[in-house]
Amino acid sequence: MEKVAMTSYSRLSDRVSEIKPSGIRRFFDLASQMENVISLGVGEPDFVTPWNIREESIFSLERGYTAYSANAGLIELREAISHYMETRFAVSYNPDTEILVTVGASEAIDLGMRAILNEGDEVIIVEPTFVSYAPLVTMAGGVPVPVGTSAETNFEVRPADIEAAVTDKTKAIMICYPNNPTGSSISKKCLEDIAAIVRKHNLFVFSDEIYAELAYDKEHVCFATLPGMKEQTIVINGFSKAFAMTGWRVGFALAPPDLLGAMLKIHQYSLMCAPTMAQYGALEALQHGMDDVERMKLSYQQRRNFFVKTAKEIGLPCHHPDGALYAFPSIAHTGFTSEEFAEALLKEERVAVVPGSVFGEGGEGHIRCSYATSLTHLEEALERIGRFLRRLELR
Amino acid sequence: MLDQKAYEILQIIEANGRLESSKIAKMVDLTSEEVDQYVKELEDKNVILSYSAVVDWTKLPAKETVTATIDVKVAPKRGVGFDEVAERIYRFPEVKALYLMSGAYDLSVVIEGKTMQETARFVSERLSTIDSVLSTTTHFQLKTYKHDGVIFKEPESDKRIVVSP
Ligand SMILES: Cc1ncc(COP(=O)(O)O)c(C=O)c1O
């Protein structure tokens, strides 16, 4: 106690203290105290993991496969990932030296940051985007540099904006497509322009492609397939979204051997390996799960269509999301900030959405709505939002 | 018009035959009129045969029914094979389903009656007395866990947390 009083001694690390609590957390606290809430706030599939995957994991327990796996993950799983990347995205990775099975895509991002960043290195983050990137950069000692996007360009980044943000401290660019929260993808042309910047300034790219299987309208292009980019890219992917396996905590990183080796070093000291039974489930997912992916994807796509069309009808302007599980309609015309809007909507109509501001630059003026919920709930939620908007107009 | 859209519309209708065309239209990115056209054509071509609900009758107090599956061995007739005897059997209103099987017996008949007695009488008086029927084995269903792809249990609540990244 005395120590605290006498000096500015802090019990916590400066890096952690610097990080703001997630805006998502705040909305979770608000919403979870209320009853009868229809939630469009969930960033995960509404399907339960397909049964054969659960079955295979149970079977692995029955057989007694309860020990640590190799640090990099079960070799069978790494081979299956290699085969999957080759057949789905036409890019080849060596299971022995270029593939790492992680505890969710989340860990893969963390490892990548810690593996390449030195104190003060800058990472350009194309926003609005997943809430974890900037804090993970900070915790790895780096400096997040946001580059915003807007609905006018369907939330596709303008390469010139990236170029303008590059300094001599810039180490990497973080992209995510299809994107959370906007659902936007990045066109091949735009990816090529980003690749040109990468070559010119000798940067790395974090390409979070966890929603690659949930790209509805266009074929997904893996960033590492662009000329010269495999050597410069850490591809992040995982099982959470495509296979409805969020609670399993299995993801993977793909990177050239030097980067991957560095990531493996951290991984083996901090986590040892991903849970073995979850890895067996993931293996089954890759071997026999693609039909289920197709089935779930079609269902999301239909609900995306339903959501976007109905949103427009009730006066909620919405761009066209290419994939993932989210729409990012604009609420700017209401004069509210996205936080005010989300909070009032929750209190008055019991619909939970996430304010766009929590996803970074360009997110203000929007709300994230996940359409991974039943059609009945979607309809009801949209009806409530419509009522809310009409009431706002009368005020 | 048996294209991808037809396929999608059929899947949606098969899961929920009561969904309005205006909603289906939004889901598959067509106009309501186009969906109606598709549905009409699918009905006309007998792709959609009927609309029905899967009902858990045990939830209602009074109406209890008995369902039995009967394995039937028959002597096939020259020229018409199994079709003639099959037709004689499926015309009975008690018969809910009828399949020609490979293996230990020939026809699988699913029948539904009000009581066990009624069902037993149907087997002994109607089925086994048909000329070419050689033998029957009756299995009564005790409980329905899943029917027509629908699992019979209480609706599950959403286990996901209300807001997540
Ligand atoms: C863009 C993005 N990357 C990564 C993750 C985390 O995935 P995982 O469950 O594999 O850690 C999410 C989850 O919401 C996400 O939206």
Side-chain angles (χ1 to χ4, degrees), chain A residues 68-79 81 95 99-102 250-251 264 267 272-276 279:
Chain A
Y68 293 131
S69 75
N71 290 131
L74 291 171
I75 182 64
E76 304 94 297
L77 178 56
R78 279 179 281 144
E79 278 163 357
I81 291 169
I99 300 178
L100 174 61
V101 178
T102 55
V250 205
L264 176 61
H267 172 76
M272 216 83 105
C273 65
T276 302
Q279 291 191 58

Side-chain angles (χ1 to χ4, degrees), chain A residues 89-159:
Chain A
F89 305 112
V91 53
S92 77
Y93 280 97
N94 182 339
D96 291 322
T97 54
E98 298 179 320
I99 300 178
L100 174 61
V101 178
T102 55
V103 179
S106 302
E107 193 214 350
I109 302 162
D110 186 29
L111 294 177
M113 296 296 172
R114 291 207 268 162
I116 65 163
L117 295 183
N118 288 312
E119 202 70 36
D121 282 349
E122 292 175 356
V123 178
I124 292 172
I125 301 179
V126 177
E127 293 183 343
T129 200
F130 185 44
V131 293
S132 297
Y133 301 154
L136 288 173
V137 170
T138 307
M139 285 195 281
V143 179
V145 177
V147 167
T149 58
S150 70
E152 283 86 72
T153 53
N154 208 30
F155 296 103
E156 185 170 271
V157 67
R158 276 190 298 230

Side-chain angles (χ1 to χ4, degrees), chain A residues 103-318:
Chain A
V103 179
S106 302
E107 193 214 350
I109 302 162
D110 186 29
L111 294 177
M113 296 296 172
R114 291 207 268 162
I116 65 163
L117 295 183
N118 288 312
E119 202 70 36
D121 282 349
E122 292 175 356
V123 178
I124 292 172
I125 301 179
V126 177
E127 293 183 343
T129 200
F130 185 44
V131 293
S132 297
Y133 301 154
L136 288 173
V137 170
T138 307
M139 285 195 281
V143 179
V145 177
V147 167
T149 58
S150 70
E152 283 86 72
T153 53
N154 208 30
F155 296 103
E156 185 170 271
V157 67
R158 276 190 298 230
D161 293 346
I162 294 185
E163 181 107 50
V166 174
T167 70
D168 53 4
K169 287 255 165 207
T170 307
K171 189 84 185 252
I173 305 170
M174 176 94 221
I175 53 176
C176 170
Y177 62 102
N179 179 277
N180 172 11
T182 63
S184 290
S185 198
I186 306 181
S187 69
K188 181 141 191 234
K189 168 80 180 62
C190 183
L191 292 174
E192 280 164 352
D193 292 346
I194 296 173
I197 298 170
V198 169
R199 270 189 292 271
K200 184 165 155 202
H201 300 279
N202 190 29
L203 306 174
F204 290 116
V205 171
F206 285 87
S207 187
D208 185 343
E209 303 183 20
I210 195 159
Y211 293 105
E213 288 290 355
L214 304 181
Y216 310 127
D217 307 314
K218 302 174 205 143
E219 278 288 308
H220 180 85
V221 178
C222 176
F223 193 78
T225 57
L226 302 178
M229 284 304 106
K230 205 185 140 194
E231 290 66 36
Q232 302 303 116
T233 307
I234 298 175
V235 176
I236 288 139
N237 208 324
F239 296 85
S240 288
K241 315 292 172 170
F243 298 95
M245 292 174 71
T246 50
W248 294 66
R249 314 309 307 130
V250 205
F252 54 92
L254 308 165
D258 57 334
L259 297 189
L260 197 99
M263 291 166 71
L264 176 61
K265 232 191 255 177
I266 308 168
H267 172 76
Q268 82 189 359
Y269 290 123
S270 60
L271 283 152
M272 216 83 105
C273 65
T276 302
M277 50 287 236
Q279 291 191 58
Y280 278 106
L283 178 58
E284 170 67 17
L286 288 183
Q287 286 174 339
H288 303 113
M290 294 320 287
D291 287 350
D292 283 312
V293 173
E294 279 304 313
R295 170 179 63 84
M296 295 189 278
K297 175 180 162 185
L298 180 62
S299 165
Y300 297 136
Q301 182 175 357
Q302 290 172 349
R303 289 182 278 172
R304 186 251 344 233
N305 295 344
F306 181 83
F307 182 92
V308 174
K309 291 205 163 142
T310 315
K312 285 180 182 158
E313 281 171 14
I314 63 168
L316 190 64
C318 191

